[in-house]
């Protein structure tokens, strides 16, 4: 069985950094995760990509030769990829029992405006490739602390991404190492952590009253019904809980990886090759909550 995880979220959310952290974390557990780069503008890699869209097409060349701007150029690169899927099939053909982490660009154009990533995902699931696929969506924790409206806009984008990709998706709140405690605390030490945990918990398990209170305060009363409708929409979807991601904490990475494994039933119908390949009891036991 082949597995692929699409790593999505806005530019700067920490997707590429997360990919590196998860791959090195997996190495410490003697598991191999391959890195796939789908960002035609990416420059520096911590891990040499096993597959790199830049070997097919490069955003810089497209912008120069076709005089496209960065977003139009990106769309062009993805259309080019989808018109040359035999290239991708060949690049992926040698992966058999493998686990790929696919680092995606953040531009929303590729998800909802023109469903290029959804089409790519369907291709990987079907035909000869038959990948088992899931996605993660990264949203920056600073949004939660700094600006509630931005945070809820982020929740809406996550929802939109999930609906357009149509696969199991896990929402992660990234850069948790940067979360600072109230009153200028650093968040270090058990006391600080506890306080922050309580506060951030309202975002991790999205507490929509936060939005409603705040939005209603800031908006003209004629928008209050709209605010309520958005809150209802968010509540009606189950994706509104976030798993905290702190790449500086191995336990956090372990938990995130076990959740990703779980969303695509990694290894569940295969004979284990060696005990260390299993995601069983050593993983904190949160991967098998059926
Ligand atoms: N403190 C901290 N910084 C991070 C983390 N993840 C990413 N960054 C920083 O955020 C910026 C964007 O990260 P990057 O991985 O390139 O984001 P991408 O555009 O989503 O791939 C970079 O400057 C990273 O160093 C994190 O977990 N903690
Ligand atoms: Mg990136």
């Amino acid at each position: 069985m082949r597995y692929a995880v699409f790593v999505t979220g806005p530019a700067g959310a920490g997707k590429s950094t997360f990919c590196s952290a998860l791959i090195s974390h997996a190495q410490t557990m003697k598991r191999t995760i391959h890195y796939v780069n789908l960002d035609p503008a990416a420059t520096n890699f911590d891990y040499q990509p096993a597959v790199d869209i830049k070997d097919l097409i490069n955003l810089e060349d497209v912008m120069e030769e076709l005089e496209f701007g960065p977003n139009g150029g990106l769309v062009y690169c993805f259309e080019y990829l989808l018109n040359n899927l035999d290239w991708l099939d060949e690049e992926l053909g040698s992966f058999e029992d493998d686990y790929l982490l696919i680092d995606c660009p953040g531009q929303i154009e590729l998800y909802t405006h023109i469903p290029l990533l959804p089409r790519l995902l369907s291709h990987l699931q079907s035909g000869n490739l038959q990948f088992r696929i899931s996605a993660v969506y990264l949203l920056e924790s600073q949004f939660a602390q700094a600006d509630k409206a931005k945070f809820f806009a982020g929740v809406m984008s996550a929802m939109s991404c999930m609906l357009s990709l149509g696969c199991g998706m896990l929402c992660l709140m990234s850069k948790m190492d940067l979360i600072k405690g109230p009153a200028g605390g650093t968040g270090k030490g058990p006391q600080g952590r506890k306080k922050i945990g309580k506060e951030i918990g309202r975002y991790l398990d999205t507490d929509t009253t936060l939005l409603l209170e705040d939005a209603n305060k800031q908006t003209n009363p004629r928008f209050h019904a709209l605010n309520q409708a958005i809150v209802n929409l968010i509540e009606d979807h189950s994706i509104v809980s976030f798993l905290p991601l702190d790449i500086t904490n191995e336990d956090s990475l372990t938990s995130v990886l076990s959740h990703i494994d779980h969303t695509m039933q990694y290894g569940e119908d295969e004979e284990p090759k060696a005990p260390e390949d299993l995601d069983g009891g050593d993983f904190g036991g949160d991967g098998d909550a059926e």
Side-chain angles (χ1 to χ4, degrees):
M1 183 57 74
R2 306 160 173 203
Y3 300 88
V5 183
F6 281 72
V7 180
T8 68
K15 297 180 293 299
S16 303
T17 309
F18 165 67
C19 288
S20 301
L22 196 69
I23 290 168
S24 47
H25 175 73
Q27 281 175 353
T28 65
M29 304 190 319
K30 301 203 166 55
R31 255 178 77 174
T32 303
I33 296 182
H34 301 279
Y35 181 63
V36 173
N37 174 49
L38 277 194
D39 185 350
T43 43
N44 296 315
F45 300 114
D46 291 335
Y47 288 96
Q48 190 56 36
V51 179
D52 187 355
I53 189 174
K54 288 171 72 190
D55 292 341
L56 177 72
I57 190 159
N58 185 317
L59 182 63
E60 213 176 310
D61 297 344
V62 169
M63 286 173 65
E64 208 175 284
E65 284 166 33
L66 301 172
E67 300 187 353
F68 277 141
N71 285 342
L74 185 65
V75 169
Y76 181 89
C77 289
F78 267 80
E79 280 173 343
Y80 190 83
L81 173 66
L82 286 165
N83 288 329
N84 290 279
L85 285 172
D86 47 344
W87 172 83
L88 189 66
D89 292 355
E90 197 163 312
E91 292 286 307
L92 293 174
S94 55
F95 291 99
E96 278 304 330
D97 290 320
D98 286 300
Y99 200 105
L100 310 184
L101 203 53
I102 306 182
D103 193 0
C104 302
Q107 281 78 353
I108 196 81
E109 282 89 337
L110 303 177
Y111 302 80
T112 47
H113 301 17
I114 320 160
L116 295 167
L117 271 171
R119 274 164 56 199
L120 183 67
L121 191 147
S122 304
H123 176 73
L124 294 187
Q125 278 174 324
S126 60
N128 295 333
L129 294 172
Q130 298 284 340
F131 271 90
R132 201 177 273 185
I133 291 181
S134 75
V136 296
Y137 190 95
L138 271 66
L139 192 65
E140 281 184 58
S141 54
Q142 278 90 336
F143 280 10
Q145 280 214 317
D147 186 336
K148 293 187 183 74
K150 254 192 205 158
F151 171 69
F152 281 93
V155 172
M156 303 287 282
S157 307
M159 239 153 50
S160 155
C161 177
M162 182 187 69
L163 294 174
S164 72
L165 288 181
C167 65
M169 194 175 94
L170 190 68
C171 293
L172 302 178
M173 193 169 287
S174 63
K175 309 191 188 179
M176 287 298 281
D177 58 301
L178 295 179
I179 286 288
K180 301 244 189 312
T186 59
K188 302 264 185 266
Q191 216 44 26
R193 284 265 173 229
K194 213 175 186 175
K195 262 191 180 161
I196 296 157
K198 213 169 169 188
E199 208 185 57
I200 203 76
R202 297 185 75 188
Y203 293 96
L204 294 175
D205 232 336
T206 311
D207 178 352
T208 43
T209 55
L210 282 170
L211 172 68
L212 205 56
E213 285 163 12
D214 227 51
N216 284 349
K217 249 186 262 165
Q218 287 170 13
T219 50
N220 187 302
R222 71 181 144 137
F223 289 116
H224 290 187
L226 176 63
N227 293 340
Q228 183 66 57
I230 293 174
V231 161
N232 292 347
L233 178 71
I234 293 171
E235 278 175 351
D236 287 347
H237 285 72
S238 56
I239 68 148
V240 289
S241 71
F242 288 82
L243 204 61
L245 166 67
D246 179 353
I247 59 164
T248 64
N249 179 337
E250 295 292 321
D251 291 342
S252 172
L253 289 168
T254 300
S255 164
V256 166
L257 182 56
S258 77
H259 276 85
I260 297 173
D261 289 346
H262 184 63
T263 58
M264 54 183 174
Q265 289 119 42
Y266 168 71
E268 275 179 18
D269 47 14
E270 284 164 25
E271 286 300 315
K273 284 179 208 116
E276 62 264 29
D277 287 342
L278 282 173
D279 63 342
D282 320 352
F283 289 74
D286 47 5
D288 47 20
E290 289 279 19

